């Protein structure tokens, strides 16, 4: 079921208590000696991802007397675990999800990287077993696991575009191990704990010095993420974040400058091709690939997209991402660097402006309100309301803002749409902006975007690497003064400072936030798409679910326009998900060639 994640080989191992199975996407040390599961004395490892600083760690471990038979990072991780146990995690710079079975201690450890770039899903089966994997489809192959929708999660998605808490999925009883967490199974008892959270670090006293240090950190993070034995390229949207990655990558010698990939939507006012092409020229990119999805292609790929993503998604922007990775596959580029994570760490979203005003204090907030006018006032109101509005008022607002195509019972259900509560260490943060950025990074925005990125890339057997999620950069961003992140109405101010003289001025001056945004409303209006929506959502089985407002769908179908394109997409995605992943038999597993 996970053949797309690893087309380059597989391995299976088991003893009388545990079993590990692995599909390989070969990136470091392409030789079969690096095939997994990998074994060292009493330890057995299955590992997905990359340890970017594996060369430095290998030198350290060799100095401690350890010997290596491969040139890969998996063996380095295994020796590090044998040498230091859990303490090895503090030494890792990487993205990873791994399982270690200690057959001497009879202990299973599952681990995720700091932000959860690589996924682990698991379920506690009725027989007392733990079944886990990188994809839910694989877990569903187990005879003890039943495919059932989490009804409350699905209803909240349809009615309010609210996703489940990061530790849950849309499947009842199937959990997601959040980023920076360990799961241990020992003596038939499973425990979950957080092993990492950002820490405050010392930053320069002057903002210009801080910008220079940030640029140096980002350059080193990119240097580590360019380590590969297969071709590397970049995913370029034309915004500040990916442009910084592309431009700084160009300062480092290597063939990674050859390919950049951009989703393009001619005639759409939010198309970013002009900015992206300027960055590609400035960076000396040899081949700048334009990916131009058309609505008929989206229609043809719908079921495949739903199956690859496994859970409902917020919008069709994931299709653009999915197609970018498909184009990279066609070009023979296995690894893509991307700019995700910068918005959450450096205050890129509009709501961060209101929290920045709260952090700045009354006098500074008043100046910002005078300069920013009505929009600044709206952002401050949102920042205050999201935390301080009484529960009854929040629920009343949600009822009024319910999606146009949600069944009336869903729209009126006051229990739906309540955002996930952050962990105590986030909720207890005293600085409003830092609290919001932590919430975005670990609760609301980033966990979902990382899920989309993993599914879109792995569906095409590609790997995406994210320099902004280097722990050193996260610690730095969350330690600088709030005024350096949002300054005079400018988002990501410190990151813009770091990009001066590197990123083209036209990109630095941008204030709009896009990012592979397709003309979703236009796509959903074309006759073929409208017919497909009617066919799916007005089917007798769909009507009987009690999830959708069939009358509203019929009215808008007849009118030829959707009053809420986002809501009709969510209804369509939900129904296709139920059909393809909950109710229909799963596709036959791919049989690997001998």
């Amino acid at each position: 079921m996970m053949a797309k994640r690893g087309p380059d080989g597989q391995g299976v191992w088991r003893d009388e208590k545990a079993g590990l199975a692995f599909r390989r996407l070969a990136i470091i040390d392409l030789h079969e000696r690096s095939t997994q599961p990998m074994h060292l004395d009493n330890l057995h490892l299955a590992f997905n991802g990359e340890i970017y600083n594996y060369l430095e760690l290998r030198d350290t471990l060799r100095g401690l007397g350890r010997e290596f038979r491969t040139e890969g990072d998996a063996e380095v991780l295994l020796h590090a675990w044998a040498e230091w146990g859990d303490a090895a995690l503090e030494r890792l710079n990487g993205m990873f999800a791994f399982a270690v079975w200690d057959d001497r201690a009879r202990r299973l450890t599952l681990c995720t990287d700091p932000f959860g770039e690589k996924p682990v899903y698991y379920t506690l089966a009725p027989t007392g077993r733990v079944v886990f994997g990188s994809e839910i489809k694989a877990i569903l192959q187990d005879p003890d696991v039943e495919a059932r929708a989490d009804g409350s999660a699905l209803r909240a998605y349809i009615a309010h575009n609210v996703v489940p808490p990061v530790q849950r999925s849309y499947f009842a009883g199937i959990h997601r191990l959040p980023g920076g967490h360990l799961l241990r199974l020992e003596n038939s008892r499973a425990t979950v704990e957080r092993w990492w959270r950002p820490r405050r670090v010392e930053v320069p006293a002057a903002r210009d010095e801080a910008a220079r240090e940030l640029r140096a950190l980002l350059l080193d993070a990119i240097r580590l993420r360019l380590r590969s034995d297969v071709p590397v390229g970049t995913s370029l949207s034309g915004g500040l974040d990916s442009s910084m990655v592309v431009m700084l990558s160009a300062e480092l010698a290597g063939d990674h400058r050859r390919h950049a990939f951009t989703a393009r939507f001619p005639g759409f006012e939010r198309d970013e091709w002009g900015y992206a092409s300027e960055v590609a020229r400035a960076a000396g990119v040899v081949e700048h690939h334009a990916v131009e999805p058309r609505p008929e292609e989206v229609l043809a790929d719908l079921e495949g997209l739903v199956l690859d993503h496994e859970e409902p998604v917020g919008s069709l922007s994931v299709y653009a991402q999915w197609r970018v990775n498909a184009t990279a596959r066609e070009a023979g580029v296995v690894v893509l660097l991307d700019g995700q994570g910068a918005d959450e760490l450096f205050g890129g979203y509009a709501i961060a402006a209101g929290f920045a005003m709260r952090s700045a204090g009354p006098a500074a907030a008043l100046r910002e309100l005078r300069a920013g006018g009505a929009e600044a006032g709206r952002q401050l109101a949102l920042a205050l309301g999201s935390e301080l509005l009484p529960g009854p008022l929040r629920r009343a607002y949600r009822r009024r803002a319910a999606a146009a195509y949600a069944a009336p019972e869903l729209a009126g259900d006051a229990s739906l749409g309540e955002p996930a509560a952050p962990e105590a260490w986030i909720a207890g943060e005293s600085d409003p902006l830092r609290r919001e950025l932590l919430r975005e990074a670990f609760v609301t925005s980033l966990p979902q975007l990382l899920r989309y990125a993993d599914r879109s890339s792995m569906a095409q057997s590609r790997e995406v690497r994210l320099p902004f999620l280097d722990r050193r950069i996260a610690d730095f961003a969350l330690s600088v003064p709030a005024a350096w992140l949002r300054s005079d109405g400018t988002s990501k101010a410190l990151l813009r400072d770091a990009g001066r003289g590197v990123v083209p001025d036209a990109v630095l001056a941008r204030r709009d936030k896009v990012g592979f945004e397709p003309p979703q409303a236009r796509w959903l209006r074309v006759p073929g798409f409208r017919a497909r929506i009617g066919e799916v959502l007005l089917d007798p089985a769909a009507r009987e679910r009690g999830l959708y407002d069939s009358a509203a769908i019929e009215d808008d179908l007849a009118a030829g326009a959707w009053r809420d394109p986002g809501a009709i997409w969510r209804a369509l995605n939900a129904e296709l998900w139920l059909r393809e992943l909950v109710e229909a038999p799963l596709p036959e597993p791919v049989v690997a060639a001998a």
Side-chain angles (χ1 to χ4, degrees):
M1 295 306 297
M2 298 197 301
K4 289 181 178 179
R5 297 187 79 90
D8 301 325
Q10 69 174 32
V12 177
W13 171 89
R14 65 178 179 267
D15 65 12
E16 73 280 6
K17 287 286 186 180
L20 298 174
F22 179 76
R23 294 287 320 195
R24 186 180 187 202
L25 177 61
I27 291 175
I28 300 289
D29 188 13
L30 308 186
H31 195 277
E32 62 183 14
R33 65 194 168 202
S34 281
T35 295
Q36 301 177 45
M38 194 171 283
H39 316 282
L40 179 65
D41 300 326
N42 56 302
L43 300 179
H44 311 276
L45 171 74
F47 153 59
N48 177 30
E50 302 291 343
I51 307 301
Y52 302 124
N53 63 335
Y54 76 102
L55 295 175
E56 293 80 1
L57 282 173
R58 188 171 62 193
D59 287 344
T60 299
L61 289 161
R62 277 179 172 154
L64 296 172
R66 294 195 167 267
E67 298 180 355
F68 294 83
R69 62 178 184 82
T70 78
E71 296 298 320
D73 56 341
E75 190 182 16
V76 172
L77 173 59
L78 189 53
H79 277 279
W81 194 264
E83 184 72 32
W84 299 304
D86 294 5
L89 296 171
E90 289 298 331
R91 300 171 181 259
L92 303 182
N93 187 327
M95 62 172 181
F96 46 83
F98 64 82
V100 175
W101 170 244
D102 184 334
D103 64 27
R104 186 179 301 149
R106 291 291 189 261
R107 179 173 59 244
L108 171 74
T109 303
L110 303 179
C111 185
T112 52
D113 63 67
F115 290 95
E117 293 178 64
K118 285 298 170 186
V120 173
Y121 287 89
Y122 68 95
T123 185
L124 306 175
T127 57
R129 299 162 57 242
V130 170
V131 184
F132 61 91
S134 298
E135 291 197 358
I136 295 170
K137 290 192 293 291
I139 294 174
L140 293 176
Q141 291 290 316
D142 190 282
D144 283 343
V145 182
E146 181 186 358
R148 291 185 297 113
D150 182 322
S152 63
L154 189 62
R155 292 193 297 272
Y157 163 77
I158 293 169
H160 301 289
N161 197 21
V162 171
V163 299
V166 66
Q167 68 273 19
R168 286 170 48 194
S169 76
Y170 285 89
F171 289 85
I174 296 181
H175 312 282
R176 179 180 176 184
L177 188 62
H181 277 71
L182 289 168
L183 181 150
R184 288 190 180 88
L185 180 68
E186 194 169 11
N187 298 323
S188 300
R189 181 171 177 265
T191 58
V192 176
E193 63 182 79
R194 175 174 284 281
W195 69 265
W196 181 81
R197 65 184 62 170
R199 60 188 179 91
R200 289 191 181 272
V201 297
E202 187 175 340
V203 298
R207 178 168 152 178
D208 58 345
E209 293 178 14
R212 286 194 292 271
E213 184 169 333
L214 172 58
R215 185 190 301 180
L217 284 173
L218 185 55
L219 187 65
D220 193 60
I222 292 169
R223 177 186 65 84
L224 290 176
R225 283 156 181 79
L226 288 174
R227 288 177 170 173
S228 172
D229 294 334
V230 295
V232 179
T234 52
S235 178
L236 174 60
S237 71
L240 173 63
D241 311 335
S242 63
S243 297
M244 281 281 286
V245 171
V246 171
M247 294 304 301
L248 289 175
S249 295
E251 296 185 9
L252 300 166
D255 197 44
H256 55 272
R257 293 174 60 180
R258 183 169 182 81
H259 296 277
F261 302 85
T262 299
R264 183 181 185 185
F265 310 103
F268 181 44
E269 64 274 12
R270 304 275 281 171
D271 178 43
E272 297 186 279
W273 177 255
Y275 293 108
S277 58
E278 182 172 351
V279 171
R281 284 193 300 271
V285 171
V286 179
E287 297 184 52
H288 187 195
H289 303 263
V291 184
E292 299 185 10
R294 299 188 302 273
E296 59 269 24
E297 295 172 323
V298 186
L299 272 173
D301 290 333
L302 264 182
E303 277 77 10
L305 184 73
V306 170
L307 279 169
D308 284 340
H309 275 269
E310 297 195 307
E311 299 179 87
V313 300
S315 75
L316 278 169
S317 65
V318 299
Y319 182 74
Q321 189 182 54
W322 191 78
R323 284 289 303 277
V324 161
N325 282 278
T327 304
R329 175 174 49 78
E330 293 162 5
V333 177
V334 183
V335 174
L336 292 175
L337 270 60
D338 200 306
Q340 279 192 337
D343 283 314
E344 289 81 5
L345 295 174
F346 291 94
Y349 295 121
I351 194 171
F355 284 94
M357 283 186 266
R358 291 177 59 186
S359 292
L366 185 57
R367 288 195 299 272
E368 188 81 17
L369 287 169
R370 286 172 176 164
E375 178 58 23
R378 190 176 77 87
Q379 296 304 335
L380 180 58
L382 286 172
L384 290 167
S386 66
E387 292 188 330
L388 304 177
L389 201 65
L393 288 180
R394 285 203 308 271
R395 289 190 289 273
Y397 173 78
R398 284 200 303 274
R399 282 194 293 269
R400 287 197 302 272
Y405 309 106
E409 308 85 77
L410 270 65
D413 188 344
S415 67
L416 294 177
E418 187 70 26
E423 296 172 73
W425 65 277
I426 297 176
E429 168 59 45
S430 59
D431 181 85
L433 180 58
R434 188 171 193 269
R435 186 168 63 247
E436 170 60 16
L437 298 182
L438 289 170
R439 191 159 43 223
E440 291 176 10
F442 294 101
V443 183
T444 57
S445 168
L446 189 58
Q448 305 312 316
L449 293 178
L450 293 178
R451 172 167 73 86
Y452 303 157
D454 173 78
R455 294 303 196 282
S456 291
S457 59
M458 289 289 98
Q460 310 296 341
S461 306
R462 304 300 95 180
E463 179 174 276
V464 171
R465 299 178 175 181
L466 307 175
F468 282 107
L469 295 187
D470 189 299
R471 276 194 282 173
R472 298 169 296 169
I473 293 173
D475 288 341
F476 190 87
L478 293 166
S479 298
V480 301
W484 292 3
L485 299 178
R486 301 285 309 202
S487 178
D488 299 324
T490 300
S491 65
K492 295 185 283 195
L494 184 64
L495 187 58
R496 294 178 195 274
D497 291 347
R500 297 198 191 285
V502 177
V503 176
D505 290 342
V507 175
L508 282 176
R510 292 187 67 182
R511 295 298 181 264
D512 54 332
K513 175 66 188 159
V514 185
F516 283 7
E517 181 182 329
Q520 176 171 290
R522 190 170 75 197
W523 284 355
L524 295 172
R525 283 199 309 268
V526 302
F529 230 125
R530 285 177 21 234
R532 183 67 174 281
I533 291 169
E535 172 190 309
V536 171
L537 291 177
L538 298 178
D539 178 88
R543 290 176 182 269
E544 291 172 9
R545 295 192 196 279
L547 296 174
Y548 322 112
D549 188 334
S550 300
I553 294 170
E554 288 173 334
D555 288 347
D556 286 5
L557 195 59
W562 304 110
R563 69 193 82 171
D564 186 343
I568 199 66
W569 160 252
R570 293 198 302 278
L572 176 65
N573 192 179
E575 183 62 22
L576 290 174
W577 175 77
L578 286 166
R579 293 184 183 187
E580 298 293 329
L581 281 139
V582 178
E583 297 169 347
L586 283 170
E588 286 297 315
V590 174
V591 179

